[in-house]
Amino acid sequence: FARTGRLGDYYFIAHWFPKIGVLEDDGWNCHQFHAATEFFADFGVYDVSLTVPAGWIVGATGRAVSRTDAAGTTTHRFQQADVHDFAWTTSPRFVETTAKFEEPGLPPVDIRLLMQPEHTDQIERHLAATRAALKYYGTWFGAYPYGHLTVVDPVAVVNPDAQGEGTDGMEYPTLVSAGTRYFPPPRSLDPEDVVVHEVGHQFWYGVVATNEFEDAWMDEGLTTYSTARVLAEAFPNGFTATRTYFGGLVTWPFDDSPWSRDVDGNRLTGFRRVASWEVPSRPSWQYWPGTAGATTYNKTALWLATLERHLGWPTMQKILATYYARGAFRHPTPDEFFAIANDVSGRDLTWFFDAVYRGSASFDYGVAQVINQPSGTRGFTGDGDDRRYGPGGGTDAVDSVVVVRRYGEGVFPIDVRVTFADGGTITEAWDGRARWQTFTYRRGTAVTAVDVDPDRVLMLDVNATNNSWTSAPAARLAARRWSLRWLTWLEELLLTHAFFV
């Protein structure tokens, strides 16, 4: 594609790739282009020469092996083996920066950064994010197999509807485009989120080249999940949530709303609206219109995060590292991934993959009812002449009844933590299969709080609000907080309107 830059200059990225599809016994199973999916192809060896006007900077897949000047032009030659695509970019405006990635236990990587001149103050942030991706992906899953990587900062794009507003990230073998806004706040995720995501694609898209037409989740979903984990690990001070105004041009940080891996990184908010709309096992290009992004990116990141919390990170890390090693320079299938997960974990996880991949059920567990009452006989007891009515009382004990409920169709094992007035707690394990489950207690104090899934293992739960109950509600505090936020929003809206009118 091409984008017009300042002063009539141009910025290009183009790419070539061989047959699109998968090689089957009866020949190539190929597809036409679909907007909701991307490309993949067979691995090959590329030797490409590009002739551009003299003075124009060129970035491309592979390593530059020669440069020849002639009559106002320059021919750049690039070579690269074991990639399934070739991409290139050129512009007279790029500001070039080179750096080295070095990390004990991992092979070094030459980093080449091509920035727009108005974004040179973001160079160090781009480099830090690139190094973070190479380090954590390499340490957790497997080393980056190429000795070089080019990161391109494209002309600023205003796209309020895109994830990572105002950016234009895209992945190609050994070359990615990242991007940033004109004025990114210092504690926003721009450009770290986009850089880590696109560099992460080098692993799940570039080395493990899955079928993007049929199984886009195996690249985009795994990359979204991994990106969130890298950001949380590499930048422990966190980020500030931001909103964009004036069509996405101006960004404003909200210091009282920190970035969260659980909600923001794994994109829980975007998942809720289409939680039960689509079956992920359906070919990606056949998804219901408007659900591809939430199904491919968001749902996959959430069920991978759920699996991590269910199995533990050491097991999850081993699953992904094994998948990366076995799938490198191939086109692995979903069934291969699921088989590796079963093998490495030592568990049959078919029930889980049936729910999150082969089905479309949404998950929602919550507290349905809590009753505390004095212990003792209440009502009629006995038979015939011995029938007696007891008013209750006569003891200091309290009978408590806790009812939890499965509101959604999805089934998942759930812990329920019950807290009593004396500070004691009991954690109940529930298989989550029944529509509801009752827990009864006779203790000296009443139940004061109930938490369903207290450790937030089930990241796919679409309604966390009903997961807890307390005997001391904070209605006034909640009302005050929401009213102040609404008044602040209204004030900003009126000030913005007054500025332009």
Side-chain angles (χ1 to χ4, degrees):
F1 58 85
R3 297 191 182 277
T4 303
R6 291 182 180 177
L7 306 176
D9 293 332
Y10 292 90
Y11 157 87
F12 303 91
I13 281 189
H15 60 95
W16 300 291
F17 47 91
K19 295 175 181 177
I20 303 173
V22 59
L23 185 60
E24 298 180 342
D25 292 339
D26 57 351
W28 280 89
N29 175 16
C30 298
H31 290 278
Q32 68 188 65
F33 172 77
H34 293 278
T37 59
E38 295 174 8
F39 49 84
F40 89 111
D42 210 6
F43 288 91
V45 179
Y46 288 81
D47 188 330
V48 179
S49 295
L50 302 166
T51 301
V52 301
W56 285 48
I57 295 176
V58 176
T61 294
R63 190 180 292 277
V65 296
S66 67
R67 193 172 82 173
T68 305
D69 297 318
T73 64
T74 302
T75 299
H76 303 256
R77 186 181 179 188
F78 292 85
Q79 292 179 343
Q80 183 61 56
D82 297 326
V83 292
H84 54 82
D85 188 11
F86 183 92
W88 58 272
T89 178
T90 184
S91 172
R93 303 183 67 246
F94 283 139
V95 176
E96 181 176 1
T97 301
T98 59
K100 195 87 168 180
F101 166 76
E102 294 179 312
E103 181 70 22
L106 295 175
V109 179
D110 294 324
I111 302 173
R112 189 175 180 224
L113 184 59
L114 305 181
M115 296 290 295
Q116 298 296 321
E118 61 269 21
H119 294 159
T120 53
D121 61 333
Q122 301 300 307
I123 287 175
E124 290 305 318
R125 294 180 68 177
H126 279 70
L127 290 175
T130 301
R131 289 189 174 104
L134 291 172
K135 172 185 175 180
Y136 288 101
Y137 270 79
T139 302
W140 294 338
F141 312 134
Y144 178 67
Y146 311 108
H148 48 87
L149 175 64
T150 300
V151 179
V152 182
D153 172 37
V155 174
V157 178
V158 177
N159 183 9
D161 296 326
Q163 182 73 25
E165 302 168 330
T167 62
D168 199 23
M170 189 60 195
E171 69 277 5
Y172 309 94
T174 78
L175 181 146
V176 301
S177 63
T180 186
R181 301 180 184 90
Y182 281 111
F183 309 106
R187 292 197 64 233
S188 75
L189 260 175
D190 182 32
E192 286 83 358
D193 187 15
V194 183
V195 174
V196 171
H197 186 92
E198 303 308 334
V199 174
H201 273 302
Q202 296 298 303
F203 296 78
W204 299 133
Y205 146 87
V207 178
V208 182
T210 50
N211 185 342
E212 288 265 356
F213 289 103
E214 308 288 346
D215 309 303
W217 67 270
M218 298 185 76
D219 169 34
E220 296 293 357
L222 264 70
T223 302
T224 301
Y225 158 81
S226 304
T227 297
R229 204 174 203 290
V230 170
L231 290 172
E233 188 77 22
F235 303 98
N237 292 330
F239 299 95
T240 296
T242 60
R243 298 290 298 273
T244 58
Y245 301 94
F246 308 126
L249 179 62
V250 177
T251 306
W252 188 262
F254 290 87
D255 292 332
D256 62 342
S257 181
W259 178 88
S260 162
R261 176 195 171 192
D262 296 348
V263 177
D264 303 299
N266 294 320
R267 307 183 184 184
L268 177 60
T269 303
F271 162 73
R272 286 194 183 106
R273 63 182 180 85
V274 296
S276 60
W277 282 32
E278 192 53 82
V279 179
S281 59
R282 185 195 304 275
S284 305
W285 59 275
Q286 293 182 355
Y287 283 168
W288 181 270
T291 67
T295 304
T296 298
Y297 294 74
N298 307 4
K299 183 173 185 177
T300 308
L302 288 165
W303 71 250
L304 285 167
T306 297
L307 193 60
E308 175 191 327
R309 295 185 175 200
H310 181 63
L311 300 176
W313 168 240
T315 301
M316 189 65 179
Q317 181 269 330
K318 188 176 180 181
I319 289 172
L320 294 175
T322 304
Y323 170 66
Y324 181 78
R326 296 182 186 177
F329 305 109
R330 296 177 50 244
H331 303 305
T333 65
D335 286 341
E336 289 182 68
F337 179 86
F338 302 144
I340 289 172
N342 289 338
D343 180 45
V344 172
S345 68
R347 306 187 192 184
D348 184 359
L349 298 169
T350 304
W351 63 271
F352 180 74
F353 298 127
D354 283 345
V356 301
Y357 173 70
R358 302 181 185 96
S360 61
S362 62
F363 295 82
D364 183 14
Y365 287 89
V367 182
Q369 188 178 41
V370 178
I371 300 174
N372 292 302
Q373 61 184 16
S375 179
T377 303
R378 182 182 298 274
F380 288 96
T381 59
D383 297 317
D385 293 340
D386 295 329
R387 188 177 178 85
R388 296 287 185 274
Y389 175 79
T395 177
D396 293 331
V398 178
D399 287 335
S400 300
V401 179
V402 174
V403 182
V404 292
R405 182 176 172 183
R406 176 168 63 88
Y407 293 96
E409 296 301 318
V411 175
F412 191 84
I414 292 293
D415 284 345
V416 179
R417 185 174 63 203
V418 181
T419 303
F420 298 87
D422 61 2
T425 63
I426 295 176
T427 299
E428 307 279 6
W430 176 33
D431 63 13
R433 294 183 178 278
R435 273 297 178 182
W436 54 273
Q437 178 70 40
T438 300
F439 303 102
T440 60
Y441 309 94
R442 176 170 290 180
R443 293 170 63 100
T445 56
V447 171
T448 57
V450 178
D451 293 287
V452 173
D453 191 20
D455 297 322
R456 291 301 306 276
V457 174
L458 181 59
M459 291 303 302
L460 291 156
D461 195 315
V462 296
N463 183 14
T465 304
N466 63 12
N467 283 34
S468 61
W469 173 91
T470 175
S471 61
R476 289 180 177 272
L477 179 62
R480 184 183 307 115
R481 178 168 182 174
W482 281 108
S483 62
L484 289 174
R485 288 181 68 88
W486 183 84
L487 288 172
T488 302
W489 171 85
L490 179 61
E491 180 183 47
E492 292 173 349
L493 177 66
L494 293 174
L495 287 172
T496 302
H497 178 75
F499 176 80
F500 286 100
V501 174

